[in-house]
């Protein structure tokens, strides 16, 4: 077997081993898991998640997932906790301790301190018979038969299991809270995903210029308006109502056909019934209309009156495309 084939084989076996371990986790979802979810859901405090080594890294990710889905959470490193960081834990907080073995020295020092403060504690461990599990109120079982590491040493499969149980915990809490896409946008305002959920057409069209001509405007006026407003388009408007649209493409086609431009006006070359969108519509809806109709601009209306233009480049700039 050459080196490339060996790499592919190892990668596939790693994925297969971890996928089997994840599948097996469903057998460990029991009353303790449900009770742990309900404990967090009914708590008046936050979730403090602690661990050491690779488990600490997983704890940080679970904290991030909980915070972004409506459950306030804080990471506390198990080693730092016994050197001052225990002050992070407030009266009503629920503590989750993550440890594969549940028997590490740091955990054995930390657990009695948490219990003495009378905070409820959830163990996330692959060893239900461990010290951590025996001392906790509830246990989230993350047992795996072996690590993907050929020496069965490097935390691989075990940390994947921790991550999956953390996701399951977060999603259960999300559903109990009725956490909606609107809530998600509130917690993710800066990302492309959040922008899809909250950014409206007016947020983009309002920063653009507002090209418009009347139906009897001559061709020179049309060209000047499209050029100056730099959107590649102008609306044809009468009494604040859109009656047509003229694009760069319309001008090129007109120049290719017409011999005498002096008598032509906007109404002679405009396209009727242009695609348009309401100013309060979601920007992602503008994206769909543009994609479905293979166009780069949409005219915007506000209660039936012409309000401006939204361009494909606006959506690209905001990361919606």
């Amino acid at each position: 077997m050459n080196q490339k084939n060996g790499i592919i084989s190892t990668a596939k076996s790693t994925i297969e081993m971890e996928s089997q371990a994840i599948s097996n986790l469903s057998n460990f979802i029991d009353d303790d898991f449900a009770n742990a979810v309900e404990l967090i859901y009914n708590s008046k405090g936050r979730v403090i998640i602690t661990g050491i080594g690779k488990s600490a890294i997983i704890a940080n990710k679970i904290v991030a997932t909980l915070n972004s889905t409506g459950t306030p959470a804080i990471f506390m490193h198990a080693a730092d906790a016994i050197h001052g960081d225990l002050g992070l834990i407030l009266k009503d907080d629920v503590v989750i301790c993550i440890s594969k073995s549940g028997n590490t020295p740091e955990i054995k020092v930390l657990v009695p301190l948490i219990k003495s403060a009378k905070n409820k504690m959830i163990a996330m461990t692959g060893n239900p018979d461990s010290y951590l599990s025996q001392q906790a109120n509830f246990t989230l079982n993350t047992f795996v038969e072996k690590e993907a590491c050929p020496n069965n040493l490097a935390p691989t499969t075990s940390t994947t299991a921790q991550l999956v149980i953390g996701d399951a915990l977060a999603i259960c809490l999300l559903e109990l809270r009725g956490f909606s896409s609107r809530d998600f946008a509130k917690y993710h305002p800066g990302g492309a995903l959040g922008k899809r959920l909250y950014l409206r057409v007016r947020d983009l069209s309002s920063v653009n210029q507002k090209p418009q001509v009347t139906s009897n405007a001559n061709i020179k006026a049309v060209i000047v308006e499209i050029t100056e407003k730099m959107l590649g388009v102008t609306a044809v408007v009468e009494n604040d109502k859109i009656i047509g649209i003229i694009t760069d493409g319309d001008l090129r086609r007109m120049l290719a056909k017409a011999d005498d431009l002096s008598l032509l006006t906007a109404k002679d070359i405009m396209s009727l019934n242009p695609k348009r969108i309401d100013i309060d519509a979601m920007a992602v809806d503008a994206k769909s209309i543009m994609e479905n109709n293979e166009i780069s601009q949409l005219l915007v209306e506000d209660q039936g009156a012409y309000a401006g233009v939204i361009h494909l480049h606006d959506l690209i700039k905001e990361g919606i495309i």
Side-chain angles (χ1 to χ4, degrees):
M1 180 182 293
N2 62 35
Q3 180 172 289
K4 185 178 293 184
N5 288 339
I7 291 170
I8 292 172
S9 177
T10 298
K12 287 183 175 181
S13 65
T14 301
I15 293 169
E16 180 66 23
M17 184 179 297
E18 295 208 6
S19 67
Q20 289 176 359
I22 291 171
S23 179
N24 192 51
L25 289 177
S26 62
N27 295 320
F28 305 142
I29 301 300
D30 54 11
D31 286 347
D32 257 26
F33 182 91
N35 289 334
V37 171
E38 290 178 340
L39 173 64
I40 295 171
Y41 176 67
N42 293 318
S43 170
K44 296 179 181 178
R46 307 156 303 172
V47 180
I48 309 296
I49 309 184
T50 187
I52 195 164
K54 303 300 186 295
S55 293
I57 296 171
I58 298 300
N60 266 301
K61 191 277 176 184
I62 297 173
V63 163
T65 302
L66 289 172
N67 279 326
S68 68
T69 52
T71 299
I74 295 177
F75 169 70
M76 179 182 70
H77 197 283
D80 293 336
I82 58 178
H83 294 286
D85 280 5
L86 271 174
L88 284 171
I89 306 176
L90 303 180
K91 176 184 175 183
D92 294 319
D93 292 342
V94 175
V95 180
I96 299 178
C97 291
I98 305 178
S99 172
K100 177 187 176 182
S101 71
N103 290 314
T104 60
E106 294 83 2
I107 290 296
K108 287 186 175 181
V109 173
L110 178 59
V111 166
L113 298 174
I114 295 171
K115 294 194 71 174
S116 68
K118 302 193 183 305
N119 290 88
K120 298 292 185 181
M121 185 170 56
I122 299 167
M124 183 184 292
T125 179
N127 181 5
D129 297 322
S130 64
Y131 172 80
L132 174 60
S133 183
Q134 296 302 315
Q135 296 299 313
N137 296 97
F138 306 112
T139 295
L140 308 179
N141 191 345
T142 57
F143 171 78
V144 297
E145 289 190 6
K146 64 174 296 186
E147 301 288 2
C149 166
N151 300 314
N152 197 28
L153 294 174
T156 45
T157 312
S158 60
T159 48
T160 300
Q162 293 168 354
L163 193 64
V164 170
I165 290 296
D167 284 345
L169 190 74
I171 298 305
C172 288
L173 288 164
L174 178 153
E175 292 198 350
L176 284 175
R177 297 186 194 285
F179 195 83
S180 68
S181 60
R182 188 175 298 274
D183 296 316
F184 191 87
K186 182 173 69 174
Y187 290 111
H188 299 75
L193 194 55
K195 288 180 180 181
R196 287 171 174 265
L197 297 171
Y198 80 83
L199 205 62
R200 296 188 179 274
V201 169
R202 70 164 65 246
D203 299 319
L204 302 180
S205 65
S206 62
V207 300
N208 291 333
Q209 298 192 69
K210 188 180 172 183
Q212 64 183 91
V213 295
T214 61
S215 60
N216 59 3
N218 61 40
I219 296 304
K220 180 179 179 180
V222 172
I223 294 173
V224 169
E225 185 71 359
I226 292 177
T227 302
E228 288 184 347
K229 300 300 169 60
M230 297 184 296
L231 290 168
V233 67
T234 183
V236 183
V237 178
E238 297 289 351
N239 299 319
D240 287 333
K241 302 293 184 182
I242 299 168
I243 64 171
I245 188 173
I246 301 173
T247 67
D248 280 339
D250 293 326
L251 288 177
R252 288 193 296 271
R253 285 185 287 273
M254 175 270 298
L255 290 171
K257 293 179 181 179
D259 295 322
D260 184 2
L261 308 181
S262 61
L263 299 179
L264 291 177
T265 62
K267 67 175 178 291
D268 297 318
I269 60 172
M270 70 181 185
S271 299
L272 299 174
N273 301 316
K275 300 298 179 184
R276 60 195 82 185
I277 192 167
D278 188 81
I279 198 167
D280 288 320
M282 305 304 295
V284 70
D285 294 331
K287 168 184 173 289
S288 297
I289 294 173
M290 290 185 200
E291 288 180 341
N292 292 337
N293 293 277
E294 298 182 343
I295 56 178
S296 300
Q297 309 98 337
L298 270 178
L299 300 184
V300 179
E301 290 181 320
D302 186 357
Q303 297 182 350
Y306 174 57
V309 176
I310 182 171
H311 197 285
L312 185 68
H313 292 163
D314 301 325
L315 302 175
I316 295 172
K317 180 180 177 181
E318 292 296 335
I320 293 176
I321 294 180

